[in-house]
Amino acid sequence: MEIVWDAFAQAALRLFGGDPATYTVIGLSLRVSGLSLLIATALGVPLGYLIGSRRFRGRGLVTAIVNTGMGLPPVVVGLMVYILISRSGPLSEAYVALVGEAMPRLLYTVPAMIIAQVMISTPIVTGVTLAAVGAVPAELRLQARSLGASHLQEAVLTIREARWGVMAAIAAGFGGIISEVGAVNMVGGNIEGKTRVMTTAIQLETGQGNFGLALGLGLILLGIAFVIMNAFTRVQHSGSRYER
Amino acid sequence: MIDRLRSAPVWRLTVLLLAGALAFSLAACAPQEKPLEEPVSEAPAVEVTDLILASTTSTQDSGLFGVLIPAFEEAYPQYKVNVIAKGTGEALELGQNKDADVLLVHAKAKEEQFVTDGYGTRRRDVMYNDFVIVGPSADPAGVEGLATAAEALTKISGAAAAFVSRGDESGTHTAEQKLWTKATITPSGEWYVSAGKGMGDVLTMSSELGAYTLTDRATYLSMRETLDLEILVEGDTALFNQYGVILVTDATNAEGALAFAEWITGEEAQAIIGGYGVDEFGEALFFPNADQQTTS
């Protein structure tokens, strides 16, 4: 049990002791996962709406592919992104062929981490949105169309109707990436001050046997996730207040 | 109905929240990033370029880089070293794909093959540390004090006592495989656990399982207090672990790579390496030997 108290002490020390390295790591985690989530939301919600609301051939197959994507192991995504952006990878070769000079390094940078996290979270946001939109009665959209709503208005109405599910989709997407270590470690490289985020810092401290500090950083990560999710839930509740 | 859509407050709040989180996270990072990517104000003429050093978890976990890298950056302020700590296998793979500029790894045969294959040049010995066989103090296989690692492994497999292997193609794993070959044993069975993890994790696992394992001395010493493991076999020359520095062929920052390789095999770095660990552990963790180049 001693280690648990140590963890709390370490968490407090790092959080309130003004340790700049910890703030950098926290800021980077939020920036990488926040930006990734924005992109995943911008892609996943419209995509989920289209798949969930339209009837087309192969819809079952597309849904199955999206749902499979929700289970993609982050380390596999990391490996795929690595192979893509490596200096010996296809992207680099295409760049050299088109531009005639070497591609600026993307590996071990924040954008590389964001690419990987978008690939992890987009299927999650899409999949849960799809299920939520699919549960909205088709009659609602029919009625909207008959009252003269445009395609966009129809989409906004449907997504609004399915908002609890869509919010759950965004929350699930966030949970999936703020906590993952496999992909950011692979393409970020865990470079101190540049690509070290909460999860890779925890992994590093664990590897060095600093269990108390590792657990303390875990507590900070949990705390941050709680604050964000709590704010998110409050938004949901303020929505339901207007409804009455 | 359309009006109701426009006034949906829940969405506006969501967007606000997301935008707020974004703005905060951008703002939180911006000030800390600058000094890392721009030259310090006292030396505005120097342009800082990134140098990617792919190395092993053991060098990072032992804390050696914590003193070595700042000393290099002080001597060469035009380079910012980015350490990518992986197993030797992955570090070599990164070098092969030209995703690193310089390598500091410890699997001599693989390194020489790497150079032979044309992926790297100028392999030089830098330092060595040694492996030790650690295990529970009860020592169920009775290996304590044996002179050679091969004898100890023979006894461990004979007693079918639990042994945790890195199993990750790292330098340590390669060294372990060589020792089994030397003992003419192919380890397999319930007692032989292939973990596929880094050194720190494997030590923790061995401690929990009451198992034997092969570890570098540095990682063991730095974690000793959290482990129920004792050093049982040490000193066999077969347990010496040579680190080498290799320049990656056609590297992005070839100049920086060369500067690093020259520096780490030079007097200043060699002295730092030889002194590291004495204060904290009472003994040196690495032994510099760049002045005695050998080939295996």
Side-chain angles (χ1 to χ4, degrees), chain B:
Chain B
M1 181 158 88
I2 305 304
D3 274 347
R4 265 189 64 205
L5 292 183
R6 288 209 192 91
S7 64
V10 62
W11 286 108
R12 238 182 281 155
L13 275 165
T14 307
V15 171
L16 266 176
L17 192 69
L18 281 172
L22 175 66
F24 167 74
S25 50
L26 286 173
C29 282
Q32 281 116 3
E33 235 185 23
K34 275 201 166 171
L36 293 172
E37 288 175 4
E38 284 170 20
V40 286
S41 52
E42 299 100 70
V46 184
E47 195 197 338
V48 178
T49 54
D50 276 328
L51 178 66
I52 309 279
L53 167 65
S55 189
T56 63
T57 45
S58 52
T59 21
Q60 183 168 61
D61 287 354
S62 68
L64 177 63
F65 281 152
V67 293
L68 216 46
I69 301 301
F72 173 73
E73 288 178 343
E74 202 185 324
Y76 291 88
Q78 65 269 45
Y79 302 120
K80 166 81 187 124
V81 180
N82 298 269
V83 178
I84 313 290
K86 306 276 183 180
T88 291
E90 194 176 344
L92 287 172
E93 194 70 28
L94 292 176
Q96 190 171 329
N97 292 336
K98 306 185 200 304
D99 290 317
D101 300 312
V102 60
L103 311 177
L104 182 66
V105 288
H106 59 97
K108 202 163 181 178
K110 280 186 186 177
E111 291 164 36
E112 285 171 347
Q113 187 60 44
F114 184 83
V115 173
T116 307
D117 292 343
Y119 299 123
T121 52
R122 283 180 58 101
R123 190 207 164 279
R124 300 278 308 275
D125 285 342
V126 173
M127 59 188 183
Y128 68 90
N129 65 351
D130 65 337
F131 290 117
V132 291
I133 294 177
V134 296
S137 53
D139 191 15
V143 302
E144 187 166 8
L146 288 178
T148 72
E151 283 175 74
L153 292 182
T154 308
K155 279 200 138 182
I156 290 169
S157 75
F163 184 97
V164 182
S165 166
R166 288 281 293 273
D168 61 353
E169 293 303 319
S170 61
T172 308
H173 185 211
T174 310
E176 182 212 313
Q177 287 169 320
K178 264 172 75 181
L179 292 173
W180 286 113
T181 309
K182 213 172 170 196
T184 60
I185 294 168
T186 308
S188 68
E190 276 290 301
W191 58 275
Y192 186 74
V193 181
S194 182
K197 291 187 169 169
M199 195 70 255
D201 288 333
V202 163
L203 281 170
T204 304
M205 204 168 158
S206 305
S207 179
E208 293 292 328
L209 295 173
Y212 295 90
T213 192
L214 180 76
T215 173
D216 60 286
R217 190 186 294 267
T219 311
Y220 169 75
L221 285 178
S222 68
M223 291 183 63
R224 184 166 48 185
E225 268 142 50
T226 64
L227 303 169
D228 285 323
L229 296 170
E230 307 292 330
I231 294 180
L232 300 172
V233 180
E234 60 185 324
D236 181 359
T237 51
L239 289 170
F240 287 174
N241 179 31
Q242 181 65 49
Y243 285 77
V245 65
I246 309 175
L247 304 184
V248 171
T249 306
D250 192 20
T252 311
N253 192 348
E255 270 178 41
L258 182 60
F260 182 81
E262 289 289 318
W263 180 83
I264 201 170
T265 51
E267 263 177 41
E268 186 197 351
Q270 294 279 299
I272 295 174
I273 291 168
Y276 179 70
V278 176
D279 290 343
E280 197 177 343
F281 305 111
E283 51 186 303
L285 301 183
F286 297 94
F287 305 93
N289 68 340
D291 54 347
Q292 313 150 17
Q293 297 295 324
T294 55
T295 47
S296 68

Side-chain angles (χ1 to χ4, degrees), chain A residues 87-224:
Chain A
R87 244 187 106 200
S88 310
L91 203 62
S92 179
E93 278 170 20
Y95 190 94
V96 171
L98 287 173
V99 185
E101 55 184 89
M103 185 175 76
R105 176 167 57 80
L106 199 53
L107 191 64
Y108 315 133
T109 63
V110 168
M113 295 158 85
I114 292 175
I115 293 172
Q117 292 214 329
V118 167
M119 284 178 65
I120 296 167
S121 51
T122 302
I124 300 177
V125 175
T126 308
V128 181
T129 301
L130 187 165
V133 166
V136 175
E139 290 77 17
L140 181 86
R141 291 201 312 275
L142 272 176
Q143 199 186 4
R145 297 286 292 159
S146 68
L147 286 170
S150 70
H151 277 294
L152 186 66
Q153 285 168 331
E154 178 195 345
V156 171
L157 177 73
T158 309
I159 291 172
R160 190 178 171 275
E161 203 58 36
R163 63 189 170 281
W164 312 124
V166 175
M167 291 207 166
I170 297 170
F174 182 71
I177 52 180
I178 192 74
S179 61
E180 74 87 16
V181 60
V184 283
N185 193 23
M186 181 88 209
V187 301
N190 189 29
I191 299 169
E192 190 177 4
K194 281 191 178 172
T195 58
R196 180 164 301 164
V197 293
M198 294 294 285
T199 51
T200 56
I202 292 168
Q203 192 182 45
L204 178 74
E205 296 301 339
T206 306
Q208 296 183 354
N210 302 326
F211 292 169
L213 177 54
L215 199 57
L217 291 173
L219 285 173
I220 295 176
L221 181 64
L222 265 180
I224 291 169

